[in-house]
Amino acid sequence: MSFRIVYTSVFILCPSSVCAGWLGLRLLSRKKRKSEVGEVDKQLDILAIGTAVGSILLYSTVKGELQSKLDGGHDSRVNCVRWHQDSCCLYSCSDDKHIVEWNTQTCKVKCKWKGDNSSVTCLCISPDGKMLLSAGRTIKLWDLETKEVYRHFTGHATSVSSLMFTTVKPMNESKPFDGITGLYFLSGAIHDRLLSVWQIRSDRKEKNAVMSFSVTEEPTFVDLTVSEVKEEPVKLAVVCRDGQLHLFEHILNGYCKKPLTSNCTVQIATPGNDGDSTPKPVPILAAAFCKDKQSLLLVYGNTLQPILEKVSLNTSESHICLVRDMQKVLSLKTDAAVTKVKTPVVNSDTKVLVPGIPGHSTAVKTPASGKEKKKNKRKPGETEESIEERLGALDIDVSKVKTPGGLPQTDSFAVLLVQGLESNDAEILNKVLNTRKENIVKNTVARMPIHAVIPLLHEVRKYLQYCLVLPYNASLMVRWLKSVFTLHASYLSTLPDLIPQLGMLYQLMESRVKTLQKLSRLHGRLFILVTQVTSQAVQDVPEVNQTAKLVYEDGKCCMLSVAQLLNLHDSLHLMAVHYAPVLIYQCTVCT
């Protein structure tokens, strides 16, 4: 497949595009009058493009030019645009917390209202066109006629990034259908590895998601096939940030406690060069179901030069790896109608000046031809290794692997933790859980899969309850608990049986907290006793004799001679130095 039209703005200072919404033929369900036929034909090929400054561009794919521009609705970045079944209406949401309904024929705002207390990130219109789903941190279902909230849905810890309805009719066909009650819809959030499924009910009890789908990394693109009858399963294609595609197939029928795992995982890799190099993974950027609901349209490679391919997969296999030679695909000639850029022909003798020292030049490296092959030369007389020796070389001891700083890496800790939880190996668990570095604990919890969160909490509870570790290591278990509750709070909040799962841990923490006040009082009393014992251990200072060694009375010292006074002065000085007595001098006449 190749691109037929490439849109590039002619304005240098044009704001960047952040979202897009396509208006296709499938949106037109009702018949139009003759007077509306011309207007409808103009609307069939419109692509709405939201920008970072709040404006929306309407681009005609048939004419290959910009048709109109919608201004005055938003003051900040446009996060999502959605076309209504009525082709002249467009809905948009922005970081300015508002939702705008546009009339694309007049290019004016039809209605504007506040959608959330924070930025509104996603929109989705109901199958009958009477309701609108909006999402920021919480999901709201709006009545488009009255612009009032019909239902609230809460359960995501971060901003919602995707919203879409999974059914067009309720599964319970016995009750009358009002167009919205009984339908299911799907939601995904940023940094969340769970896709939640909600059901719109009439009793206003939508507190938790009815089920969830678990993936390996944060979803970047989601597509599904809508279930039209009760027996038809919903097919879900989820592309994650790690470049893998997960395929799910499930019949929506009430609650499901455990998160559902994918039926099939798809990866793309290069074949390698003649077996000398290992295959390299090729990231999958997006995937969408075709009209037959069996084949998929894959987009892989890089965002600057993506490759589109239609494939039919056998979902009965749990893992599929597609081998694609990226060099051959990218070496295909570009259509001259798409680009007018001419690449100059460069030979091996040409030298190109590069920035830096004047006069410095470097030769242009020509790509190596595919005919050159690297051969492993074996020395004469050397024998080939046996299969047993090769398998022995592959047996790597973890303790012998040297890493920077002498410590295992975070990814190996996550793998060891999962292995220890699955095999219930006390030695591995002791080695991982007794880690003292808080940074390694956080990274390990962030890298561990979702299904290992609850077993880890149970294991930490056992360590705290049955004293499997030393008493002073209890603080290490608290670090693991803190990291799990911080990084996986969104997943734990979606579990309907969270209270029974964490009941023992909660009771253990409550029993520890109840003794805190008594221990604080005991600590204070012991501190007073230790202080008193320490003060008594200090030797007592000997008491000083307070009796005066010499008393002078008024009227008697005046009869002494000068020599006697000098001798008396010297004796008093010696007594003051050696004995340090308290002298009482009562003479007020002599000077």
Side-chain angles (χ1 to χ4, degrees):
M1 295 184 180
S2 60
F3 294 100
R4 298 180 59 184
I5 298 175
V6 177
Y7 167 69
T8 305
S9 177
V10 297
F11 301 102
I12 298 177
L13 300 178
C14 182
S16 59
S17 303
V18 293
C19 61
W22 176 264
L23 176 63
L25 288 169
R26 60 183 178 84
L27 295 178
L28 298 178
S29 57
R30 66 184 182 88
K31 296 182 179 180
K32 299 290 183 178
R33 293 176 296 179
K34 293 183 179 180
S35 59
E36 298 179 352
V37 172
E39 298 177 357
V40 172
D41 293 339
K42 297 179 182 179
Q43 297 284 341
L44 292 181
D45 61 338
I46 301 300
L47 179 66
I49 304 173
T51 63
V53 296
S55 59
I56 300 176
L57 308 178
L58 299 182
Y59 182 80
S60 176
T61 57
V62 173
K63 299 179 181 180
E65 62 182 14
L66 195 63
Q67 178 172 311
S68 57
K69 183 178 180 181
L70 306 179
D71 280 326
H74 296 292
D75 300 330
S76 185
R77 169 193 173 103
V78 178
N79 294 322
C80 182
V81 289
R82 288 289 182 266
W83 288 96
H84 196 269
Q85 281 81 342
D86 186 2
S87 60
C88 65
C89 290
L90 177 69
Y91 292 89
S92 62
C93 62
S94 171
D95 286 342
D96 59 4
K97 310 176 185 179
H98 287 82
I99 303 173
V100 177
E101 180 182 0
W102 299 87
N103 188 338
T104 56
Q105 293 182 351
T106 60
C107 298
K108 293 183 179 180
V109 177
K110 188 175 180 181
C111 184
K112 180 178 180 179
W113 69 95
K114 186 175 181 180
D116 206 331
N117 293 328
S118 59
S119 61
V120 185
T121 56
C122 198
L123 296 175
C124 182
I125 301 175
S126 63
D128 61 350
K130 296 180 180 179
M131 296 288 181
L132 175 69
L133 279 173
S134 70
R137 289 293 181 89
T138 61
I139 303 174
K140 297 180 181 180
L141 182 63
W142 300 86
D143 188 347
L144 289 179
E145 184 177 356
T146 61
K147 303 299 185 296
E148 295 180 354
V149 179
Y150 181 73
R151 290 287 187 276
H152 282 273
F153 304 91
T154 56
H156 289 289
T158 55
S159 300
V160 177
S161 58
S162 58
L163 278 176
M164 53 186 66
F165 278 91
T166 60
T167 54
V168 295
K169 293 181 181 179
M171 296 303 169
N172 189 1
E173 299 179 354
S174 60
K175 297 181 181 180
F177 181 47
D178 59 355
I180 193 65
T181 303
L183 297 186
Y184 291 86
F185 69 90
L186 181 78
S187 67
I190 300 174
H191 307 305
D192 194 351
R193 291 179 286 182
L194 284 179
L195 294 171
S196 302
V197 179
W198 313 80
Q199 186 181 18
I200 303 173
R201 303 175 61 183
S202 59
D203 52 2
R204 296 180 178 269
K205 292 183 179 180
E206 304 90 352
K207 293 184 179 180
N208 297 317
V210 295
M211 65 182 63
S212 57
F213 298 98
S214 175
V215 292
T216 55
E217 283 289 341
E218 174 188 354
T220 57
F221 191 89
V222 181
D223 189 47
L224 54 82
T225 60
V226 179
S227 176
E228 298 181 357
V229 295
K230 183 178 181 180
E231 294 79 11
E232 182 181 4
V234 174
K235 295 183 178 181
L236 182 65
V238 183
V239 179
C240 298
R241 193 171 294 278
D242 56 1
Q244 298 184 17
L245 170 64
H246 300 274
L247 299 177
F248 299 85
E249 187 172 348
H250 185 74
I251 298 177
L252 302 180
N253 188 16
Y255 285 90
C256 184
K257 294 182 179 180
K258 296 183 179 179
L260 302 177
T261 57
S262 60
N263 299 338
C264 179
T265 302
V266 182
Q267 289 179 305
I268 299 179
T270 58
N273 297 327
D274 300 328
D276 292 338
S277 61
T278 57
K280 297 181 180 179
V282 179
I284 301 177
L285 304 178
F289 287 99
C290 299
K291 292 182 178 180
D292 57 0
K293 297 184 180 181
Q294 300 296 330
S295 56
L296 283 168
L297 182 63
L298 299 181
V299 182
Y300 58 91
N302 55 73
T303 55
L304 298 178
Q305 200 172 6
I307 300 172
L308 283 75
E309 182 182 354
K310 184 178 180 181
V311 296
S312 297
L313 302 176
N314 183 14
T315 57
S316 60
E317 300 180 7
S318 60
H319 188 85
I320 298 176
C321 183
L322 304 177
V323 180
R324 298 292 183 268
D325 192 349
M326 299 297 295
Q327 294 182 354
K328 291 183 179 180
V329 176
L330 296 177
S331 63
L332 297 177
K333 295 183 179 180
T334 308
D335 191 358
V338 175
T339 177
K340 297 181 181 180
V341 179
K342 295 182 179 180
T343 304
V345 180
V346 180
N347 54 28
S348 59
D349 298 331
T350 305
K351 294 185 178 180
V352 180
L353 294 177
V354 297
I357 303 174
H360 178 69
S361 60
T362 179
V364 177
K365 296 181 180 180
T366 57
S369 60
K371 298 180 180 180
E372 298 180 357
K373 298 181 180 179
K374 297 181 180 179
K375 298 181 179 180
N376 295 327
K377 297 182 180 180
R378 185 184 304 167
K379 296 180 180 181
E382 186 179 11
T383 59
E384 186 178 359
E385 294 181 354
S386 62
I387 298 178
E388 183 179 359
E389 293 175 348
R390 293 181 181 180
L391 293 176
L394 292 176
D395 188 10
I396 301 175
D397 189 1
V398 179
S399 61
K400 297 180 180 179
V401 178
K402 295 183 178 180
T403 56
L407 295 175
Q409 299 296 324
T410 305
D411 51 356
S412 62
F413 262 103
V415 173
L416 288 175
L417 180 60
V418 175
Q419 291 178 353
L421 293 173
E422 292 179 352
S423 61
N424 199 16
D425 193 332
E427 183 178 356
I428 296 178
L429 292 175
N430 288 334
K431 180 179 179 181
V432 176
L433 295 179
N434 288 333
T435 305
R436 296 183 177 276
K437 290 194 174 183
E438 189 173 357
N439 188 23
I440 295 180
V441 174
K442 290 182 180 179
N443 293 334
T444 303
V445 174
R447 290 174 179 267
M448 65 183 296
I450 284 293
H451 62 81
V453 174
I454 295 298
L456 175 60
L457 292 177
H458 291 333
E459 196 66 30
V460 171
R461 177 185 58 81
K462 292 179 182 179
Y463 272 63
L464 292 174
Q465 185 176 5
Y466 300 108
C467 298
L468 296 179
V469 294
L470 297 176
Y472 61 83
N473 283 346
S475 59
L476 301 179
M477 300 300 106
V478 176
R479 294 180 183 179
W480 286 97
L481 290 176
K482 181 180 178 181
S483 300
V484 170
F485 291 143
T486 303
L487 299 175
H488 298 285
S490 59
Y491 165 67
L492 294 174
S493 62
T494 58
L495 297 178
D497 56 343
L498 180 62
I499 296 178
Q501 292 280 0
L502 303 181
M504 294 295 296
L505 181 61
Y506 182 77
Q507 293 177 3
L508 179 63
M509 295 173 65
E510 283 291 326
S511 61
R512 294 286 182 94
V513 172
K514 287 181 180 179
T515 60
L516 177 61
Q517 187 176 4
K518 297 180 180 179
L519 290 175
S520 299
R521 292 179 180 177
L522 180 61
H523 177 269
R525 294 174 181 176
L526 290 175
F527 179 76
I528 294 174
L529 292 176
V530 171
T531 305
Q532 291 178 354
V533 171
T534 305
S535 62
Q536 291 178 0
V538 180
Q539 295 182 358
D540 296 334
V541 180
E543 296 182 358
V544 180
N545 188 9
Q546 302 294 333
T547 306
K549 298 298 182 181
L550 183 64
V551 177
Y552 293 91
E553 295 181 359
D554 190 12
K556 294 182 180 181
C557 60
C558 298
M559 302 300 294
L560 298 176
S561 62
V562 176
Q564 291 176 343
L565 288 175
L566 291 175
N567 293 333
L568 180 60
H569 178 271
D570 294 337
S571 61
L572 287 175
H573 177 72
L574 291 174
M575 292 173 62
V577 171
H578 293 285
Y579 302 103
V582 178
L583 301 178
I584 303 175
Y585 190 78
Q586 297 180 352
C587 182
T588 58
V589 177
C590 298
T591 57

